[in-house]
Structures are given as structure tokens and as C-alpha cells.
Amino acid sequence: MENQKTINKSISVKAADSAPFYNNVDFCVGTGRFGLALTKEYLDELAFVQEEIGFKHIRGHGIFTDDTAIYHEYEEDGINKVEYNYTYLDRIMDEYLKLGIRPFIELGFMPKDLASGTQTVFYWKGNTTPPKSYERWCDLVVALLSHLIDRYGESDVTTWPIEVWNEPNLPGFWEHADMKEYCKLFKETFTAIKDFNPSFKVGGPAICGVKDAEWIKGFLDFCKESGLKPDFITRHHYTIEFPEADGHYDYSTLMDEEEGFANLQSTRDIIDSYDEYKGLPIHITEFSTSYTPKGVIHDTNLNAALIARQLSRLGDMNESYSYWTFGDVFEETGVPFSLFHGGFGLVAAGCIPKPTFWTFKFFKDLKVLERGCVFKDDNAVIEKTDKGYAGVLWNESSKEGISIKLNLEDIAKDGDTDNEYTLIIKTVSPKTTNPLKLWHDLGEPATPNSEQTKLIKSAAFPQVTSDRLTASEGSISFDQTLDPETVVYFELSKSKVKSDRGYSYERTITTR
């Protein structure tokens, strides 16, 4: 970019340094409704995500909606009876476990036969009214858990977290946003599960954005008065203002990030103000930049950089944080019209990774190597590893570059003659990793053919560069430039060259 302003900064770390950083990037990821897991594209995208990143849990809506076909009422001899059908549920759960991922069970929405009303949400009409019979609702929940234990084993299934409902503070997701009725739903459900098997971990209220402090406090007041102790608290976290719609797409203005972090801290503070609930884990069961599945920001390099900062900070006050969602097979507002439609997913159709996919991959790789965080600020997280250092660097600015001089000390011990290191750098930027731009330059084909998909996917991977460096007085320094909207992963590790007899790399590359 011509005439681009560049900010210069230096980062110097020592092996004994310490910085607060809790990296639980792989605990959970979101999905559309569970019934979508019956489709091939969905499973292909999830398999790709699991191979590259590997999440432990998956959370989605609609485990009880009619497309999974679990709950049925019928009349026999003049008596209304209930039966359950687990055919689709078993197919879905079998596929999840094959891919090494387990559900974070969200209990909802209401089966049509069990619903007290007709209010629905989304293209696929998830019913959002209370049950007409709490007894039958609790029987349904316990029957589900009992079936899962019978099929997959108690020791495994009881580790699957359970969340009661989704966003009951929004009238579209819970009729009238009735807090009193939600608290009744939680109490009845929580009690039934704990009576069945107290090993299950159950939480709520899964709120999002509206009157959140009022709801957290009201929920905890109710739990205290009722003698309930949830195993965790859940909420959601999005970082945009109300979007502007244009055709099939939503365009949003970003919130101030610090206000968002302060809002999350307020939830932590409210919980900790109760002696009974102080320190209770908070799971963010949905987070992203935009809360709309038509949010164009999701497909951009800017989104990748914004999410990097979120991942560096969300662990400060939360046990986990689940990105919404892993893939673009998603139908809340209908079937997408185009490849890059602003979908929530880390992966687009054709298993094309978006830039944000690599932000998660980089933080997961950091977690695998970590031996303690030595540095964290608004542009970097750096970990000490067994063989050196590793880190994620990012630049959220759309206008200014950042030039960072990194000085990594104590990398080699005094007197250590084995002081050769390999530096690997993976870069995701608008210049290096930009499938959105290639799709645009191809003419924005709504449903690319196989050759176009292959070409777009080829532009969706990080640029990888390498170097060999030698420690001097136990330290290594190198410079790294971050263009606007860029995320970089680096890994510096001890690596001695062991050439085969007669081989010279220097002679090879200079031969004429």
C-alpha cells in the first residue's frame, strides 16, 4: 500500500517472564442446527476443521426440533402417549464421535407436539415457547441423556456440558423473553437431570446482549432462592452495532473492543458478588464479530485480526469461548445465495478456509507447544516452548502497518554451542491469504464450479517462509512487519543441520 503509515514497536522477552494468558481455543465451536449434520457438505467441512484444528465440543441449536424427529405424541385407546425416535440423533452423534468431537448440549428448541404455543424462529421454524407439560419436557430430557449413556457410555456422556435453552432474554428465542418462565424451565430441567445423574454439568442462562446484567443477576437471585447451584454460567458475545441490511447482506459498524471486554468483566463481577457462586465458570457459548449470518465481515482478513485479539483476551474472565460457527452450512435466514455470503463459518462451501480459520489454527498450535506465556499485549501473544519460542502477532488496523522488532532472550544457555535455530513464519494477510478477493476477481460466481473452487481454495492458505538464525549471547532478534489486517504465527526452535554425505545447500542454490 503506497504511503502507508507504519508504526514501529519493540518486544523483548526472557524465558523467566510471565504474562496472564489462558488459551482454551479448542474447547468448543458452534454449528447450525443439529439436523444439518445429516448432510455431506456439513460433515466434509467439519472433518476439515477437525483435521486442522481439532475442537473438543460442538454446540448448536435444535436437538429437539422436528427435523431430528425425537419427540412424538400419538393417541392409543383414547389415551395420549409419547414415544421417542433416536434414528437421526444416533447418526449425528456417531459422526461427531468419529471426528473426535463431542456435543456441548443445548436443550432446545421445543418439539411441535410438546410446545405450548406456535411462535417460531428462523427459516427452519424452531419453536420458542415453553412446554405445555413440564413433566413431559423433563421426561424427554432424561430419556435423551439415558439413551446417550446407553449408546456411548456413562463415563463419556457425563462429561458433555448441558446448557438450558438459547438466548431467553430475546423475545424471538423465548416467548415474551419471560424471565420468570425461563427460571422455571431451568429449575425443572436442572433438578430432573441432577436427580437422574448428578455427574452431569448443567448451566445457563445463555443470554445475548439485551439486559444482560439484569438477567444474570435475576437468574442468580432465583437460583439462590431456590437452592440451586448451576455448574457454570453461559452467555454470548458479539462485537458490532446493529447492522445495515442491503439485499442479501448485512453491513456492520464495529463496537469499541474495550467496551466489549468490560461487559464480559461485568458478568464475572456480578457472579463473584455472590458468596454461593463466586468463581463459577463462565462459558461463552457463542462469540464472533457479527451476530448475523449475512455479516460480510466474517469473510474478511479484518475479521481474522479482530478475532486474534478476542482469543488473546477472552480467557481473562471466561472458562471457554465458542466461535459461532465452524462452517457455512447454515440456514437461520434461509439457504445462502452465494459462496461468500457473510456466513458465520470458519470454512466456506468446498472446504475453503476463510482467513479467520487460520487465527484459530495458530492459537491451537500455540496451545500445543506452550510452556508458559511470556508476553501479551494488543498485538502479540508469545509462549516459551521446549525448543524456543512461538507466538501469534496481529494487526487490526485497516490503514497502518506495524513493524515489530522481536528480541527473544535466554534461548540458549551459557556455553551452549548448539545455537542454531529454525524460524518458521506463517502469514495471513490481504496480500497472502485472500480467497474473498480471488472470488471477486473471478466475477463473484454464486456457486463456483469445481475448477473455480479449486482455484479459490488455493488462495486460502497462509504464506509460509523460513530462515535459519544463530543465537548470539543466548538471544535471537528478528524483525516482522504486519501489514494492515494481518495475522502471523511464528515458531523459533532449536534445529541443527545434519547434511547427507556430500550435500551442500549453499553450493546447490548457487550452481550455474
Side-chain angles (χ1 to χ4, degrees):
M1 185 182 296
E2 294 183 5
N3 301 320
Q4 172 185 292
K5 180 181 178 181
T6 300
I7 298 172
N8 296 308
K9 67 182 295 183
S10 297
I11 296 175
S12 183
V13 300
K14 298 179 180 179
D17 290 345
S18 179
F21 175 51
Y22 176 66
N23 186 3
N24 208 6
V25 63
D26 60 345
F27 183 78
C28 188
V29 71
T31 175
R33 72 183 189 279
F34 271 88
L36 293 171
L38 297 167
T39 66
K40 181 180 185 301
E41 174 70 22
Y42 177 105
L43 293 174
D44 287 346
E45 290 180 14
L46 183 57
F48 177 69
V49 168
Q50 285 302 95
E51 180 180 2
E52 291 290 337
I53 301 173
F55 291 96
K56 297 174 184 174
H57 294 283
I58 187 166
R59 173 195 175 269
H61 307 318
I63 198 168
F64 288 144
T65 47
D66 291 334
D67 64 327
T68 57
I70 294 175
Y71 183 87
H72 301 270
E73 291 187 3
Y74 66 99
E75 187 175 304
E76 185 175 78
D77 299 328
I79 300 173
N80 182 266
K81 296 183 178 180
V82 173
E83 62 183 356
Y84 308 120
N85 182 345
Y86 299 115
T87 300
Y88 280 177
L89 176 78
D90 292 347
R91 289 184 193 174
I92 294 166
M93 295 301 173
D94 286 355
E95 292 298 329
Y96 282 163
L97 268 64
K98 285 179 186 176
L99 295 174
I101 198 165
R102 285 156 170 76
F104 190 126
I105 299 173
E106 174 205 302
L107 296 175
F109 292 117
M110 198 58 62
K112 183 178 179 181
D113 285 352
L114 186 53
S116 61
T118 58
Q119 175 178 295
T120 62
V121 69
F122 300 143
Y123 163 84
W124 41 272
K125 300 187 184 305
N127 189 288
T128 56
T129 68
K132 65 184 181 184
S133 165
Y134 274 94
E135 180 180 2
R136 287 192 171 184
W137 164 261
C138 291
D139 288 346
L140 169 63
V141 171
V142 170
L144 170 77
L145 300 179
S146 178
H147 173 79
L148 292 173
I149 285 175
D150 288 345
R151 188 173 180 86
Y152 305 111
E154 181 177 4
S155 61
D156 191 352
V157 174
T158 52
T159 67
W160 303 357
I162 301 173
E163 180 180 45
V164 180
W165 213 255
N166 174 75
E167 299 183 356
N169 61 319
L170 302 182
F173 288 95
W174 181 244
E175 194 173 44
H176 310 304
D178 187 334
M179 187 189 298
K180 182 177 180 182
E181 191 69 29
Y182 172 76
C183 287
K184 178 179 180 181
L185 178 79
F186 183 84
K187 179 180 179 180
E188 296 291 333
T189 308
F190 181 88
T191 302
I193 294 172
K194 291 294 187 176
D195 285 348
F196 168 65
N197 190 320
S199 296
F200 280 107
K201 305 298 183 185
V202 185
I207 58 163
C208 182
V210 177
K211 299 181 179 179
D212 49 316
E214 177 183 329
W215 265 77
I216 292 293
K217 190 174 188 310
F219 175 71
L220 292 176
D221 285 343
F222 171 83
C223 289
K224 180 177 179 179
E225 292 166 3
S226 303
L228 305 176
K229 187 171 182 180
D231 295 293
F232 51 83
I233 300 298
T234 62
R235 62 159 296 168
H236 298 165
H237 175 59
Y238 293 96
T239 58
I240 62 158
E241 306 291 351
F242 192 78
E244 176 186 347
D246 188 352
H248 296 141
Y249 303 91
D250 290 336
Y251 298 84
S252 306
T253 301
L254 292 167
M255 291 171 51
D256 180 270
E257 287 176 289
E258 290 304 319
E259 290 183 7
F261 291 128
N263 179 258
L264 294 176
Q265 185 61 49
S266 72
T267 297
R268 178 76 271 163
D269 293 342
I270 291 170
I271 295 169
D272 290 346
S273 70
Y274 291 78
D275 291 339
E276 299 87 349
Y277 306 122
K278 187 173 183 178
L280 209 60
I282 304 172
H283 291 284
I284 298 179
T285 49
E286 291 181 24
F287 90 96
S288 185
T289 45
S290 171
Y291 52 76
T292 163
K294 304 180 292 181
V296 294
I297 192 173
H298 294 138
D299 301 331
T300 66
N301 289 90
L302 174 60
N303 199 77
L306 292 167
I307 293 302
R309 188 174 180 200
Q310 293 291 317
L311 292 178
S312 75
R313 295 275 298 275
L314 289 177
D316 290 353
M317 68 289 285
N318 304 288
E319 177 70 20
S320 74
Y321 27 94
S322 177
Y323 190 73
W324 191 252
T325 61
F326 81 84
D328 270 359
V329 179
F330 196 87
E331 298 176 356
E332 285 186 358
T333 58
V335 177
F337 280 80
S338 188
L339 173 65
F340 288 113
H341 57 274
F344 285 119
L346 295 172
V347 179
C351 288
I352 299 171
K354 302 180 190 180
T356 305
F357 175 95
W358 301 108
T359 300
F360 278 82
K361 169 66 171 171
F362 292 168
F363 274 83
K364 175 60 182 284
D365 287 348
L366 200 63
K367 182 175 181 177
V368 171
L369 294 170
E370 67 186 1
R371 291 296 178 268
C373 183
V374 293
F375 183 86
K376 184 176 82 171
D377 71 0
D378 288 341
N379 300 109
V381 171
I382 301 175
E383 294 272 359
K384 186 72 178 72
T385 71
D386 284 341
K387 295 184 178 181
Y389 289 95
V392 180
L393 314 173
W394 62 90
N395 179 11
E396 300 169 276
S397 172
S398 297
K399 299 179 180 179
E400 299 175 333
I402 301 175
S403 180
I404 301 178
K405 184 174 183 60
L406 284 153
N407 183 43
L408 308 176
E409 301 183 28
D410 306 328
I411 195 164
K413 297 178 181 178
D414 291 339
D416 189 352
T417 57
D418 186 11
N419 58 357
E420 296 179 32
Y421 288 78
T422 298
L423 175 64
I424 301 294
I425 294 176
K426 301 179 182 180
T427 302
V428 173
S429 75
K431 295 178 182 178
T432 65
T433 313
N434 199 340
L436 178 65
K437 182 178 185 301
L438 180 52
W439 171 76
H440 167 72
D441 291 341
L442 286 173
E444 301 180 9
T447 54
N449 61 35
S450 59
E451 286 302 311
Q452 290 172 321
T453 298
K454 185 177 180 180
L455 183 61
I456 295 168
K457 191 172 183 178
S458 73
F461 289 78
Q463 178 190 69
V464 180
T465 58
S466 61
D467 203 353
R468 291 197 62 79
L469 304 176
T470 301
S472 175
E473 297 182 355
S475 301
I476 284 180
S477 296
F478 63 94
D479 298 329
Q480 179 63 47
T481 298
L482 303 177
D483 287 333
E485 303 176 6
T486 291
V487 183
V488 164
Y489 174 84
F490 78 84
E491 190 173 320
L492 184 69
S493 56
K494 185 173 290 188
S495 174
K496 188 176 181 65
V497 173
K498 300 178 181 178
S499 299
D500 187 23
R501 181 167 63 89
Y503 184 80
S504 169
Y505 175 75
E506 289 73 17
R507 288 180 66 185
T508 300
I509 62 175
T510 57
T511 299
R512 295 178 62 89

